[in-house]
């Protein structure tokens, strides 16, 4: 017979895992779901491709800024209070989509959602580590997969809800229901998790390392591919004559391949300290995918989108592991990974706007896919520099002026 105290602890652990899954599933639908119906929304709200790109650009920028700001808020508020406030903001931003009447309001809802998600993403690693100290890697893999699957479910559900007779406002607003469920579970089971204030001297030191900026750039260029696909993949295929529900299926395929690769590739690469060949494999997949989207988009769309998704998902996970490998000190490694994601998300947020500009200049998204081929080549040069034999050398302390 299991003692009552141990049973309660075991049950609480399972409920925290359920909470992590629920939260992960809710962090991307607001971002991904509008994509398949943008061609319906834009004329009604008077939005251009530039203003529509802000639906992705601004939340991604906030996710980047949040990596720098959220740790201080978490230390001041605590994880439980901060998480619940952030989920409430995400809930509010999603609910307001029921009443959107113009492009500015719609963009404002995306900003609100981005603020909430920025804090949650910053706090989630600490929650995982404190709740599952011996299973950090697999639980992080589950969380990462939930991010991608949640986006897929959001993109897939909206066109079908509209086909069932709901308006696009009602369809997007209903995404608040799972957010509310996550809030309820969080209110019941989320406990306080100690959060230290960020070590600003360590942050300042790392920002003087060229390697920190190389990691930021690589992370940003790769995730720029994701933000572009989220924003413009469905409109691209709709411009080729696809129905919105069929174009939404492409986002589902991309997200599922992302999730599988994000979990699977780090497992395959776990016994090797030099992960550059695995990182290059993810770039090869992205190259094939973007090349296919540009040159042969119609016949084998699922293949090209799946290749992009697998390459992006595997690269996302492996570059985080690579950043953590740079330092044997857990605190420094965590700070480096946080800085990489912060600066990287800011870079990634700019990609949809740049692609919108290219589309406006050339009349096609093909130029955007070709641009991403070039960015993949730049990323390959950066990835090849991440040789573990020289991590100690490149991470040597540098003199920081206090003037």
């Amino acid at each position: 017979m299991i003692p009552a105290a141990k049973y309660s602890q075991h049950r609480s652990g399972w409920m925290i895992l359920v909470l992590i899954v629920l939260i992960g599933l809710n962090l991307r639908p607001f971002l991904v779901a509008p994509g398949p119906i943008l061609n319906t929304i834009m004329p009604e709200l008077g939005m251009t491709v530039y203003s529509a790109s802000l639906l992705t650009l601004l939340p991604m920028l906030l996710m980047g800024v949040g990596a720098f700001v959220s740790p201080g808020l978490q230390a001041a508020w605590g994880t439980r209070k901060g998480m619940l406030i952030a989920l409430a903001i995400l809930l509010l931003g999603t609910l307001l989509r029921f009443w959107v009447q113009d492009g500015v309001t719609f963009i404002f809802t995306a900003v609100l959602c981005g603020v909430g998600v920025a804090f949650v993403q910053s706090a989630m690693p600490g929650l995982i580590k404190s709740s599952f100290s011996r299973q950090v890697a697999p639980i992080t893999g589950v969380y990462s997969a939930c991010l991608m699957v949640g986006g897929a479910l959001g993109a897939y559900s909206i066109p079908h809800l509209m086909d069932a007779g709901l308006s696009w406002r009602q369809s997007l607003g209903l995404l608040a229901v799972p957010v509310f469920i996550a809030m309820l579970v969080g209110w019941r089971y989320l406990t306080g998790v100690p959060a230290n204030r960020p070590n600003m001297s360590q942050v300042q030191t790392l920002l003087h390392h060229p390697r920190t900026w190389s990691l930021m750039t690589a992370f940003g260029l790769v995730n720029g591919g994701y933000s572009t696909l989220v924003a413009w993949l469905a409109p691209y295929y709709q411009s080729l004559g696809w129905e919105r529900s069929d174009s939404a299926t492409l986002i589902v395929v991309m997200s599922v391949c992302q999730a599988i690769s994000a979990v699977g590739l780090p497992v395959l690469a776990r016994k090797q300290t030099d992960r550059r060949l695995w990182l290059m494999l993810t770039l090869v997949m992205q190259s094939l995918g973007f090349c296919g989207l540009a040159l042969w988009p119609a016949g084998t769309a699922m293949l090209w989108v799946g290749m992009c998704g697998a390459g992006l998902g595997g690269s996302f996970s492996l570059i985080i592991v690579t950043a953590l490998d740079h330092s044997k000190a857990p605190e420094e490694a965590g700070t480096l990974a946080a800085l990489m994601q912060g600066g990287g998300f800011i870079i990634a947020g700019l990609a949809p706007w740049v692609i919108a500009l290219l589309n406006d200049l050339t009349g096609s998204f093909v130029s955007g896919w070709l641009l991403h081929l070039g960015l993949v080549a730049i990323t390959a040069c950066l990835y090849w520099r991440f040789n573990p034999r020289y991590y100690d050398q490149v991470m040597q302390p540098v003199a920081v002026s206090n003037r």
Side-chain angles (χ1 to χ4, degrees):
M1 185 175 180
I2 302 176
K6 183 173 287 189
Y7 173 79
S8 177
Q9 184 179 14
H10 180 74
R11 182 172 180 270
S12 178
W14 274 106
M15 291 311 300
I16 291 295
L17 178 58
V18 170
L19 176 64
I20 290 170
V21 169
L22 286 174
I23 290 176
L25 290 173
N26 279 289
L27 297 185
R28 290 295 180 270
F30 85 94
L31 193 68
V32 180
I37 57 172
L38 270 182
N39 286 340
T40 300
I41 296 172
M42 288 169 62
E44 184 174 337
L45 299 184
M47 299 179 73
T48 66
V49 288
Y50 298 110
S51 57
S53 70
L54 297 179
L55 296 170
T56 306
L57 187 155
L58 293 178
M60 294 286 280
L61 289 179
L62 287 167
M63 291 177 201
V65 173
F68 299 101
V69 176
S70 294
L73 295 176
Q74 189 182 351
W77 293 346
T79 299
R80 173 185 164 82
K81 181 179 178 181
M83 279 276 208
L84 292 175
I85 290 173
L87 288 172
I89 294 172
L90 176 58
L91 177 65
L92 176 62
T94 308
L95 280 173
L96 286 177
R97 291 185 165 179
F98 274 113
W99 301 282
V100 166
Q101 296 299 323
D102 54 55
V104 173
T105 307
F106 194 31
I107 292 169
F108 177 68
T109 66
V111 169
L112 278 179
C113 293
V115 168
V117 169
F119 182 91
V120 173
Q121 286 189 165
S122 177
M124 186 59 73
L127 175 63
I128 292 173
K129 189 168 184 177
S130 65
S131 302
F132 303 96
S133 58
R134 296 182 180 179
Q135 297 93 25
V136 171
I139 300 299
T140 300
V142 169
Y143 165 67
S144 299
C146 286
L147 290 176
M148 298 158 190
V149 171
L153 292 174
Y156 183 76
S157 64
I158 299 304
H160 289 83
L161 288 172
M162 292 178 65
D163 289 342
L166 297 181
S167 70
W168 64 262
R169 293 177 179 84
Q170 293 169 330
S171 301
L172 292 175
L174 281 176
L175 295 175
V177 173
V179 179
F180 183 66
I181 293 172
M183 272 191 65
L184 290 179
V185 177
W187 183 271
R188 173 65 179 83
Y189 291 100
L190 196 59
T191 57
V193 177
N196 297 321
R197 290 190 178 277
N199 185 338
M200 296 312 296
S201 63
Q202 185 176 77
V203 170
Q204 187 178 15
T205 299
L206 287 173
L207 286 175
H208 280 75
H209 277 297
R211 178 53 51 89
T212 302
W213 295 94
S214 296
L215 286 164
M216 280 185 192
T217 303
F219 187 87
L221 294 179
V222 166
N223 282 278
Y226 171 74
S227 60
T228 294
L229 287 168
V230 164
W232 300 124
L233 178 64
Y236 173 55
Y237 272 93
Q238 288 171 29
S239 72
L240 299 178
W242 286 47
E243 297 294 329
R244 63 190 180 198
S245 57
D246 295 329
S247 65
T249 301
L250 292 178
I251 297 180
V252 174
V253 171
M254 179 191 76
S255 300
V256 170
C257 291
Q258 266 189 298
I260 294 171
S261 183
V263 175
L265 283 186
V267 172
L268 293 174
R270 69 187 185 279
K271 293 183 179 180
Q272 297 170 289
T273 56
D274 190 344
R275 297 182 173 87
R276 288 179 295 169
L277 290 180
W278 292 99
L279 286 166
M280 291 298 173
L281 174 62
T282 68
L283 297 182
V284 169
M285 289 190 284
Q286 290 175 56
S287 297
L288 291 173
F290 284 122
C291 187
L293 290 177
L295 303 179
W296 309 285
T300 49
M302 297 288 184
L303 174 63
W304 307 133
V305 170
M307 293 293 280
C308 283
L312 291 168
S315 198
F316 180 86
S317 292
L318 287 172
I319 192 60
I320 290 177
V321 174
T322 299
L324 294 172
D325 286 344
H326 271 74
S327 176
K328 296 180 177 65
E331 184 180 356
E332 183 182 43
T335 302
L336 178 62
L339 290 173
M340 176 190 74
Q341 293 181 74
F345 275 127
I346 292 173
I347 295 170
L350 298 174
W353 187 88
V354 173
I355 302 307
L357 175 62
L358 288 174
N359 177 63
D360 195 33
L361 293 174
T362 65
S364 171
F365 286 109
V366 169
S367 56
W369 310 136
L370 295 176
L371 171 64
H372 277 293
L373 274 175
L375 297 181
V376 165
I378 295 172
T379 306
C381 296
L382 294 170
Y383 275 176
W384 197 249
R385 293 170 58 86
F386 301 156
N387 187 335
R389 292 176 57 188
Y390 302 108
Y391 285 170
D392 289 341
Q393 178 180 333
V394 300
M395 296 305 293
Q396 285 293 320
V398 295
V400 179
S401 173
N402 292 319
R403 290 183 298 173

